[in-house]
Amino acid sequence: MTWARNVEQENSTGHEWAEAVNATGNGFSVVGHTNSRRPGVQQAWVLQFDKAPPPLWERTYGGGEPGTGTLGRAIVAAPGGGLIVAGEEQLAVGRFRGWLLVLSPEGDVLWERTPGHVGVNGLNAIAVLEDGSPVAGGVQDGAGWVVRLDSRGNRLWDVALPQVEHVTALVALPAQRIAVLGTSETSTVGLGISRLLFLESDGRATAEKRLPTEGQGELNALASLPDGGLIAAGRLSHSNSMDKHLWVVRMDSRGEILWEYSSSQLDAGRAIAVFPDGGVAVGGYSWKDFLVDREATVWRFSADGRLLWQRSYGGAGDDMGYGIARLADESLVVVGMTSSQGAGKTDLWTFGLSPEGQPLWEASFGSP
């Protein structure tokens, strides 16, 4: 088993990745993971920035013996300052559970919770309701899962959503309601379908929409708009094709589709930033020639669905955009992964853009 040990050793360090970004005041916070601080151990990694690098502070969280650790999947601002991180804790090979972490504005741990049980389980979406209670979504026991806690970390309720195999995104609605996006009928060779569910304040599902109405498509990101509507982004397969293309869906407050956009290239939407006029920027990635490597891509849409501009970013290697946020000055920040630069095999990557998509700054963070 010499070759297996070599592969394990090769991948035990040098990999950093950003999963999500959240605008916080005049700056932004980033969550991801690293296996370089403690080789062989995955740790959640949070970085807090002003308007641009270097970070004001950065810290890692969790992690024990090799083969265990924590992964940060989503981040949101906590009421009154601070941050809430959602992800998963790995206890052993193939044994995971949901993980929630609340931090002070300086990155100190205020409380930490693992609200579910052990399995192939985890959390990958987080939002805060009007009353300040956090609600998170992910997967538990092969079904979509949503859990709501109070501001002190006490569990109020959790519900299984058998309509979907896992929750991909959720947003807070008025009156403590929640819009939940999930995926079902997933496959290793093609796309499944997405379902949009509306939950009442006690977790009861009261409405459901299939997306797309025909064919196959998976939506990974969901955001609320200034007029109370919703917008989602992901990937769509066109008729009689296995190719996957950017897919953006604009809906009203009930989930009725107002407009859709799909590209002709091989690409995917991973995150959404909303502008005050109802326009959005979608962050994701596009495949380069020969489908070997990817490049980070941002698409800017008007409120009525017109594509205003599209730009790609990165170098000669594999580069992906995973999160996007609009800052107070209307600029954009994108986070993800790069293998085109930096010290490690893959580095956490972030860059800033003007509202028109022009690069403002760029930085990568990692270890060899």
Side-chain angles (χ1 to χ4, degrees), residues 93-355:
V93 175
R95 293 177 62 80
F96 300 84
R97 62 184 176 186
W99 178 66
L100 287 167
L101 185 70
V102 174
L103 304 175
S104 73
E106 296 76 32
D108 299 321
V109 176
L110 299 180
W111 54 259
E112 180 179 6
R113 299 288 187 272
T114 52
H117 55 259
V118 177
V120 186
N121 306 325
L123 296 167
N124 49 38
I126 184 73
V128 176
L129 302 182
E130 289 176 329
D131 66 353
S133 59
V135 59
V139 59
Q140 185 159 258
D141 300 331
W145 177 44
V146 176
V147 57
R148 180 182 175 188
L149 290 77
D150 66 19
S151 59
R152 296 179 299 276
N154 301 310
R155 183 167 53 185
L156 299 175
W157 51 257
D158 67 311
V159 294
L161 301 175
Q163 304 96 319
V164 296
E165 294 164 20
H166 60 273
V167 170
T168 57
L170 54 78
V171 296
L173 301 177
Q176 322 303 332
R177 298 174 66 243
I178 309 156
V180 178
L181 195 61
T183 303
S184 61
E185 301 180 25
T186 56
S187 166
T188 57
V189 296
L191 296 178
I193 62 170
S194 288
R195 297 186 188 277
L196 177 69
L197 298 96
F198 292 92
L199 306 187
E200 297 301 312
S201 59
D202 59 1
R204 291 179 298 113
T206 55
E208 178 183 330
K209 300 287 183 180
R210 183 195 193 277
L211 298 166
T213 53
E214 296 182 359
Q216 306 298 114
E218 296 180 1
L219 294 165
N220 299 304
L222 182 68
S224 56
L225 296 170
D227 66 357
L230 298 167
I231 192 158
R235 300 181 298 169
L236 181 72
S237 290
H238 294 159
S239 300
N240 302 317
S241 173
M242 296 293 290
D243 293 343
K244 304 172 183 67
H245 309 270
L246 171 72
W247 180 33
V248 182
V249 185
R250 168 70 157 95
M251 295 163 281
D252 65 17
S253 60
R254 301 181 306 277
E256 300 296 333
I257 295 175
L258 301 179
W259 56 258
E260 294 181 76
Y261 173 90
S262 63
S263 68
S264 59
Q265 299 173 299
L266 299 180
D267 41 30
R270 295 290 311 183
I272 301 168
V274 176
F275 286 80
D277 65 356
V280 299
V282 175
Y285 60 85
S286 302
W287 286 96
K288 301 178 185 177
D289 293 339
F290 311 115
L291 304 182
V292 176
D293 291 318
R294 290 156 291 191
E295 56 191 357
T297 304
V298 176
W299 299 263
R300 178 75 163 88
F301 294 91
S302 65
D304 59 2
R306 291 178 293 115
L307 179 63
L308 302 178
W309 52 260
Q310 170 187 340
R311 297 180 185 273
S312 294
Y313 310 88
D318 195 25
D319 306 301
M320 295 179 65
Y322 251 63
I324 190 169
R326 178 183 62 86
L327 303 187
D329 63 0
E330 298 295 294
S331 66
L332 296 166
V333 60
V334 181
V335 302
M337 175 278 294
T338 179
S339 65
S340 297
Q341 58 177 284
K345 302 176 182 72
T346 59
D347 273 28
L348 186 151
W349 182 40
T350 180
F351 56 92
L353 302 174
S354 73

